[in-house]
Amino acid sequence: MRVGILQPGYIPWLGFFEQVHKSDVFVIYDDVQYDKEGWRNRNRIKTANGVQWLTVPVIVKFDAHPLITEVMIDNKKNWAKKHRISIQQNYSKTPFYRKYIDIFEEAYSKEWQYLVDIDMHLILQLAKCLGMVGKKIIRSSTLNVTGDRIERLINICKLFKADTFYEGAAGKNYIDENYFERHGIKVEYQDYKHPIYNQLHGEFVPHLSVIDLLFNHGDESLAILLNKNL
């Protein structure tokens, strides 16, 4: 049993969904401290003028150390309309625009209060688009698992009787593999090789939101994401 644990992101990149796909259970780590300048509320798309950030404005007092689950969206700013228009303008000529645009039209028609809710909604929708139907994706805030930083990761793995913890590459900087092994859990680090695929607007740009891949490649997206030869 392999468990992946990762903080939520807004329309995440390909590597996020590779972790989802390779995990038997994927835990969205949503009850940890919100990080400034992270990926919780923003991601990148490609335009004719280069990369563009799509950022969900949030109301945050960092000195209060809010959890991700507590962060509210600043709906005084008309961000949803801007994101919808940006996606329309830059992807309407892609081969699979009509296949997926309704997902975003529907999401942006709602007034979300909490950032984690739109993040989760779009993560689940995009996972389905990639063919990950039935994938077990769970929020850590629903698990009632305690412990300090590393102990809690171990306890989440134990909850699901995992023998492998699938961790992002950044985990090499702080994970004590021996500590996990003493609990019968092997740490496996992601070593993601970013694929090159067909895009609009000139030379290839990596590390964009997965929506760039989906709009350009449709049902082939998962195979491309996993670097499988088509």
Side-chain angles (χ1 to χ4, degrees), residues 1 154 157-158 161-165 177-187:
M1 170 71 74
I154 290 172
C157 289
K158 285 183 174 180
K161 298 179 171 56
D163 55 19
T164 303
F165 173 41
E177 297 174 37
N178 293 326
Y179 190 25
F180 276 79
E181 287 176 2
R182 288 199 293 272
H183 289 271
I185 302 166
K186 175 187 175 183
V187 179

Side-chain angles (χ1 to χ4, degrees), residues 34-116:
Y34 182 80
D35 55 324
K36 189 176 183 179
E37 304 297 329
W39 297 92
R40 288 349 106 215
N41 70 322
R42 62 180 188 158
N43 222 301
R44 311 187 314 156
I45 62 171
K46 189 179 181 187
T47 80
N49 297 314
V51 168
Q52 177 184 332
W53 286 93
L54 297 184
T55 301
V56 181
V58 293
I59 303 168
V60 176
K61 293 182 179 179
F62 285 101
D63 56 354
H65 308 295
L67 302 181
I68 293 170
T69 53
E70 299 171 333
V71 174
M72 299 186 72
I73 296 173
D74 184 358
N75 283 310
K76 291 181 181 178
K77 299 177 181 177
N78 199 6
W79 64 274
K81 181 179 179 181
K82 290 178 181 177
H83 289 202
R84 179 179 58 78
I85 291 172
S86 292
I87 290 171
Q88 179 184 18
Q89 288 177 337
N90 294 292
Y91 291 105
S92 61
K93 294 182 180 179
T94 56
F96 297 95
Y97 174 77
R98 294 190 179 280
K99 184 177 178 69
Y100 302 115
I101 190 55
D102 286 351
I103 292 169
F104 301 96
E105 294 282 2
E106 185 265 340
Y108 294 139
S109 70
K110 298 180 179 180
E111 185 168 307
W112 303 89
Q113 286 188 295
Y114 289 92
L115 175 65
V116 69

